[in-house]
């Protein structure tokens, strides 16, 4: 894919979602880390509902390790995989206290060593909390990138990230991450994407395939059926 096409994609999505931003509610790097950890296999909307109370009860790493694990589990039980996530949170908080003075480190390499923090979470934290350019690849970013041909269908998330980092200007990594999420969440959905009104349909291989399939289905539905009586008359003449 050439630079002109990449620029067209970035500018088009930017025009559609100029105000794209992180939709996880948080007040600082620590809360963001907890929120992103909780968001794995869970919607941002559900996480925000849980953290609305969670962040009122817990303010520091010490707060999280001062309660029994079972209590923390109950506080986040509406979140998928809440038992594992509760363990990760307490272990993460213990490490923050012991190694980093209770503060979240700003270095990506240190973040990924924390329990429950993968590459995507680390990218989200460094880019949103510390203004370090990063292109975090979640399910929306991955889907959009592959449909638009910015990555190959079989690429893993790390390969997708590497290709995006090469094709997108570094100073646009963070905002493009947010815009790709909005584009995937509200327009190019996993199910029933808005292909028929998409300004990027001409370069979207998935969209073209879907529209072609939709056209074939419509043609089959409108194809006139020959009645049995007509068939019979045609046979006797």
């Amino acid at each position: 894919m050439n630079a002109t096409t990449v620029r067209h994609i970035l500018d088009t999505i930017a025009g559609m979602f100029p105000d794209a931003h992180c939709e996880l509610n948080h007040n600082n790097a620590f809360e963001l880390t907890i929120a992103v950890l909780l968001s794995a296999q869970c919607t941002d909307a559900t996480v925000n509902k849980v953290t609305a109370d969670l962040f009122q009860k817990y303010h520091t790493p010490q707060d999280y390790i001062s309660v029994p694990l079972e209590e923390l589990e109950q506080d986040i039980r509406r979140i998928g995989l809440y038992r594992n996530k509760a363990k990760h949170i307490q272990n993460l908080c213990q490490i923050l206290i012991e190694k980093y003075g209770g503060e979240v480190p700003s270095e990506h390499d240190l973040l990924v060593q924390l329990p429950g923090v993968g590459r995507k979470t680390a990218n989200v934290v460094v880019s949103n909390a510390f203004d370090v350019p990063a292109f975090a690849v979640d399910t929306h970013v991955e889907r959009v990138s592959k449909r638009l041909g910015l990555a190959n269908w079989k690429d893993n998330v790390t390969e997708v990230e590497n290709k995006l980092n090469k094709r997108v200007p570094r100073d646009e990594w963070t905002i493009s991450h947010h815009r790709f999420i909005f584009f995937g969440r509200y327009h190019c959905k996993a199910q029933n994407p808005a292909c028929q009104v998409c300004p990027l349909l001409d370069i979207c291989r998935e969209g073209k395939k879907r529209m072609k399939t939709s056209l074939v289905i419509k043609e089959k539905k409108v194809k006139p059926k020959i009645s049995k009586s007509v068939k019979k008359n045609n046979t006797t003449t």
Side-chain angles (χ1 to χ4, degrees):
M1 178 175 288
N2 59 48
T4 301
T5 302
V6 174
R7 188 71 263 163
H8 173 58
I9 292 173
L10 296 177
D11 291 344
T12 299
I13 296 179
M16 295 174 68
F17 301 101
D19 301 319
H21 58 278
C22 178
E23 292 191 296
L24 289 171
N25 297 332
H26 64 281
N27 294 304
N28 51 56
F30 177 59
E31 288 187 354
L32 178 60
T33 303
I34 298 298
V36 182
L37 187 157
L38 291 174
S39 72
Q41 299 183 39
C42 185
T43 66
D44 286 0
T46 299
V47 173
N48 286 336
K49 290 178 182 178
V50 171
T51 57
D53 294 326
L54 193 72
F55 293 161
Q56 289 294 319
K57 180 177 180 179
Y58 305 98
H59 301 282
T60 68
Q62 185 63 47
D63 292 337
Y64 283 95
I65 65 173
S66 296
V67 300
L69 177 61
E70 294 74 18
E71 182 175 342
L72 180 56
E73 289 178 349
Q74 290 304 307
D75 290 332
I76 64 171
R77 68 190 313 272
R78 285 180 290 173
I79 298 286
L81 306 175
Y82 69 93
R83 287 193 174 89
N84 283 335
K85 291 177 180 179
K87 291 179 182 178
H88 287 323
I89 289 173
Q90 287 200 333
N91 290 335
L92 177 151
C93 289
Q94 188 67 49
I95 294 174
L96 292 183
I97 293 170
E98 294 176 354
K99 297 183 64 175
Y100 304 108
E103 300 293 329
V104 174
S106 60
E107 293 82 2
H108 188 279
D109 291 345
L110 297 179
L111 282 166
V112 294
Q113 296 177 28
L114 297 173
V117 177
R119 186 171 185 83
K120 183 205 77 173
T121 299
N123 279 338
V124 172
V125 173
V126 297
S127 61
N128 287 277
F130 301 109
D131 295 323
V132 177
F135 211 133
V137 178
D138 71 348
T139 180
H140 299 297
V141 173
E142 180 179 8
R143 179 174 67 255
V144 168
S145 299
K146 291 182 176 180
R147 285 180 173 176
L148 294 176
L150 291 166
N152 296 326
W153 293 117
K154 295 183 179 181
D155 286 345
N156 58 41
V157 291
T158 302
E159 291 169 332
V160 172
E161 181 187 337
N162 290 337
K163 289 183 177 180
L164 290 172
N165 287 347
K166 290 179 181 178
R167 289 172 170 159
V168 178
R170 188 173 187 273
D171 61 352
E172 296 181 48
W173 286 356
T174 299
I175 187 59
S176 294
H177 155 74
H178 294 310
R179 288 170 178 165
F180 274 43
I181 288 178
F182 270 54
F183 185 75
R185 180 175 289 158
Y186 303 113
H187 179 81
C188 188
K189 301 177 182 179
Q191 303 295 329
N192 301 317
C195 300
Q196 67 277 9
V197 295
C198 184
L200 292 174
L201 179 61
D202 60 326
I203 59 175
C204 179
R205 47 190 176 180
E206 175 73 12
K208 290 178 181 178
K209 180 180 178 181
R210 284 177 176 270
M211 292 303 292
K212 183 177 180 180
T213 302
S214 176
L215 181 61
V216 170
I217 293 174
K218 288 182 179 179
E219 288 178 346
K220 287 183 178 180
K221 288 183 178 180
V222 301
K223 186 176 181 179
K225 294 183 179 180
I226 302 175
S227 65
K228 292 182 180 180
S229 60
V230 172
K231 288 183 179 180
K232 184 176 180 181
N233 290 336
N234 289 338
T235 303
T236 57
T237 56

